């Protein structure tokens, strides 16, 4: 017998994941994401920031891929995490 399970969309799963694990606190509500992330994923992240009473313009930071390769650099990601370490609540890549 073949069994099939219907799951949520990736964006819904992202909302559910963040509902479970994103726990911002005073001064530590930041989320680091990839610049150019799928638009619905970026919207899901921004809506979770708003849901917790914060402004995405202040608490959502994007790391852009390098122009020459189009890829995210480990160095750039670690530098962003280091710079934002006191304000990050979640890194989502």
């Amino acid at each position: 017998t073949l069994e099939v399970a219907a799951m949520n969309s990736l964006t819904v799963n992202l909302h559910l994941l963040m509902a479970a694990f994103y726990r911002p606190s005073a001064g530590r509500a930041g989320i680091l994401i990839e610049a150019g992330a799928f638009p619905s994923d970026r919207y899901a992240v921004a809506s979770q920031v708003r849901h917790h009473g914060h402004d995405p313009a202040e608490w959502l930071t994007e790391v852009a891929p390098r122009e020459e390769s189009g890829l995210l650099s480990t160095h750039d990601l670690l530098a962003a995490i280091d710079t934002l370490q006191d304000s990050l609540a979640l890194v989502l890549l």
Side-chain angles (χ1 to χ4, degrees):
T1 326
L2 179 63
E3 294 185 32
V4 176
M7 300 299 293
N8 297 310
S9 70
L10 182 59
T11 302
V12 170
N13 288 336
L14 185 57
H15 265 294
L16 294 172
L17 178 74
M18 291 184 65
F21 294 105
Y22 177 54
R23 298 287 183 244
S25 59
R28 196 175 192 93
I31 298 178
L32 181 67
I33 65 169
E34 173 188 357
F38 209 65
S40 60
D41 293 351
R42 190 182 190 294
Y43 178 81
V45 172
S47 69
Q48 282 292 321
V49 172
R50 276 190 221 95
H51 173 73
H52 288 279
H54 301 288
D55 181 3
E58 180 181 355
W59 293 104
L60 183 58
T61 303
E62 297 178 318
V63 175
R66 292 195 170 183
E67 281 190 34
E68 62 274 6
S69 66
L71 301 173
L72 287 173
S73 158
T74 301
H75 178 269
D76 295 344
L77 290 170
L78 293 175
I81 292 168
D82 188 52
T83 299
L84 301 167
Q85 65 182 322
D86 293 333
S87 63
L88 283 178
L90 180 69
V91 175
L92 182 66
L93 301 171

